[in-house]
Amino acid sequence: MPLNNNIPAGELATKWEKYKSTCKLVNPANKRSIEIIVVGTGLAGASAAATLGELGYKVKAFCFQDSPRRAHSIAAQGGINAAKNYQNDGDSVYRLFYDTIKGGDYRAREANVHRLAEVSGNIIDQCVAQGVPFAREYGGLLSNRSFGGTQVQRTFYAAGQTGQQLLIGAYQALERQVALGNVTMYSRHEMLDIVKIDGKARGIIARNLVSGELERHFGHAVLLCSGGYGNVFYLSTNAMGSNVTAAWKAHRKGAYFGNPCFTQIHPTCIPVSGDHQSKLTLMSESLRNDGRIWVPKKQNDTRKANEIPEEERDYYLERRYPAFGNLVPRDVASRAAKERCDAGYGVGASKQAVYLDYAAAIQRYGKIEVSKQGIENADAATITRLGKEVVASKYGNLFDMYEKITGENPYEVPMRIYPAVHYTMGGLWVDYELMTTVPGLYALGEANFSDHGANRLGASALMQGLADGYFVIPYTIGNYLADDIRTKAIPTDHPAFLETEREVRSRIEKLMSIKGTESVESFHKRLGKIMWDKCGMARNAAGLKQAITEIQALRKEFWSNVRIPGEIEEYNPELDKAQRVADFLELGELMCLDALERNESCGGHFREEYQTEDGEALRQDDKYMYVAAWEYKADSQFELHKEDLVYDVVHPSQRSYK
């Protein structure tokens, strides 16, 4: 059955404008009697809840943290893209659209990506109005820097803490609506299932994480803004609480899951240091603006970085991709680092790392400062000191973070980095209106699959989350709710609420009754190892088949031998974790199945059997130019539906950054 993506007719550049002019509206008096549930209060959720509250809807917002300010969006460091062309370097809405489609290796939907590029400029204006302290040039204009996969400077930033500053802006807007009574905030609540009535999403079952009680909540529509599922790999750059539960429960209730195998590996993370680690730390992609990535030219070189002379260093990204150099997209940079380390050129104790070096940038900036300050005959020490001051003003908090974690000063010695799981391009399948295959159930931000294809360009996650929340959902949800204004609030003692709550309670009781011998954490670690080894940066058919068998066996073992201390009706973080890991154990199998079914390489999905002579991803457009949308049938049973991707404006070609 072909999926209806509800893309409006007409020219690509006018679709969104035409949609906004012709979609149905809900008048202000009617909005006051319509209830909307928002699950998750990161950038997508906070911006959506604030905007819908501002419009007059009755909004209930749920987050499992103690405050929306703890959402994982705060961890985004480097910036947010927008096509404002402040640098006058050739940027435009079309070029942002084109870079995003190409960066995603031609596996994204044109209409959604063009809309994203169109509204990008509005996001910056909105955030400046909220007081987000973006970096500025000397004359007061907002500053921009470069990110991977582009040849223009379009990334707006606030030092190395852009996500945090943007979230504070959205959070303030949200809290204003809470104070006005338009939004009711439920913190320390986790959604454990959606409630469907007559086929439509009409509410959720949530667990109060402090008391352990289950609660029933009605909504005319439900918005899932619950982030990505990178923690299926156990070690990732995600916060340890990040999980797939909200999206997965929706999937089990009929929402198709789109492209689950499309995982992004970020090339600049602090390398794994041992088995004791529970998460990895990201070093912003913005560091690739000025940092140069290299390895020794000699295999198994044991010398310290500063002892290796310039002529014995291999700046392999600059060598292989001269047009983009260190700013190639993330999937390309990650695979190149893996290739060098696998070939025996890795550095550090583990040999699973490469260098990110700021020595040249410090000298370059130092000489510019000397010139600016009119210092004649400056000595080397002065140039270095001034250069370090400039680097500190741009990236200081990132450098401090690196030194705290590793004990090494990156102003003096190169950083060591290695790829790690970061973002998931896959997610719940949504149409042009961001609605899933369940009417009334929407997915925003990283929770949906829609805008990034097989590889997200850096600084585009913040852009998509805020675009969906501030500028897309206010229109598209009205188009749906306009037909719902006569629907009165459904009492939560309706049989569908009672039955769904009973299912949730029964699952919790089953988990608590196992009383096995192995901790939740150990199952999660074992799943992560299977996923990273066999469905990580490189995949092959044999490994994926093994992974599916191993995950099924691990899941069986989990449900017979997991140990969860404590009680149900109390604060019990181990129980919360167990429910999330149980969902990861089901998702992991689907990811491997999706990767096995897609017999090509594209973006972050690299099947070893499908590569060009020089090791680049080899797509098969004639067979796989579609979104894989999976329908849940039963445990280990999924049905594939395909949404064909039609390119009217951009013509797919072999991606080249050379």
Side-chain angles (χ1 to χ4, degrees), residues 196-218:
K196 282 167 66 176
I197 299 175
D198 299 328
K200 294 180 175 181
R202 290 300 194 194
I204 66 169
I205 304 298
R207 183 168 184 267
N208 179 325
L209 298 181
V210 178
S211 68
E213 291 173 42
L214 295 181
E215 299 176 5
R216 307 188 286 266
H217 294 274
F218 164 78

Side-chain angles (χ1 to χ4, degrees), residues 333-348:
S334 293
R335 277 197 298 278
K338 180 180 188 296
E339 184 275 329
R340 287 290 79 190
C341 291
D342 289 352
Y345 297 95
V347 301

Side-chain angles (χ1 to χ4, degrees), residues 336-413:
K338 180 180 188 296
E339 184 275 329
R340 287 290 79 190
C341 291
D342 289 352
Y345 297 95
V347 301
S350 67
K351 299 298 180 190
Q352 292 293 300
V354 298
Y355 288 127
L356 175 62
D357 197 338
Y358 259 74
I362 288 169
Q363 294 305 305
R364 185 176 78 252
Y365 282 127
K367 286 168 184 169
I368 292 170
E369 283 302 300
V370 162
S371 182
K372 270 164 60 177
Q373 295 180 25
I375 302 171
E376 293 184 12
N377 303 318
D379 59 11
T382 303
I383 292 170
T384 300
R385 177 177 58 78
L386 292 172
K388 285 178 181 176
E389 287 173 9
V390 174
V391 168
S393 70
K394 284 174 171 269
Y395 311 106
N397 62 317
L398 298 170
F399 277 50
D400 293 346
M401 187 165 73
Y402 182 88
E403 185 168 11
K404 269 185 187 163
I405 291 169
T406 65
E408 295 178 354
N409 180 349
Y411 294 101
E412 304 295 338
V413 297

Side-chain angles (χ1 to χ4, degrees), residues 157-193:
Y157 63 98
Q161 49 180 268
T162 314
Q164 183 169 356
Q165 298 301 334
L166 291 171
L167 187 66
I168 289 170
Y171 170 73
Q172 288 174 151
L174 172 61
E175 285 301 308
R176 179 170 176 269
Q177 295 307 313
V178 171
L180 292 172
N182 299 327
V183 176
T184 307
M185 192 69 226
Y186 294 87
S187 57
R188 303 297 277 274
H189 280 67
E190 183 160 29
M191 182 201 115
L192 294 182
D193 213 340

Side-chain angles (χ1 to χ4, degrees), residues 75-94:
Q77 298 163 343
I80 176 170
N81 289 331
K84 279 192 169 286
N85 196 30
Y86 280 178
Q87 303 290 330
N88 202 25
D89 58 358
D91 201 10
S92 64
V93 165
Y94 178 83

Side-chain angles (χ1 to χ4, degrees), residues 8 28 46 89 177 204 427 464 533 602 619:
D89 58 358
Q177 295 307 313
I204 66 169
Q464 186 214 341
D533 289 348
C602 56
R619 296 195 320 270

Side-chain angles (χ1 to χ4, degrees), residues 104-105 107 259-265 331 335 425 453-455 534-541 544 591-611 616-619 624 655:
D105 218 352
R107 291 293 177 264
N259 297 334
C261 79
F262 285 170
T263 311
Q264 177 159 84
I265 313 291
D331 60 320
R335 277 197 298 278
M425 283 75 64
N455 173 64
K534 291 170 182 159
C535 194
M537 246 194 294
R539 299 127 184 225
N540 60 57
L544 289 165
M591 288 172 69
C592 294
L593 180 64
D594 188 41
L596 183 61
E597 190 276 337
R598 190 171 282 276
N599 290 313
E600 64 165 354
S601 291
C602 56
H605 167 65
F606 193 74
R607 281 282 296 272
E608 291 170 341
E609 305 95 324
Y610 303 95
Q611 53 183 301
E616 304 295 341
L618 184 63
R619 296 195 320 270
Y624 294 98
R655 224 171 24 141

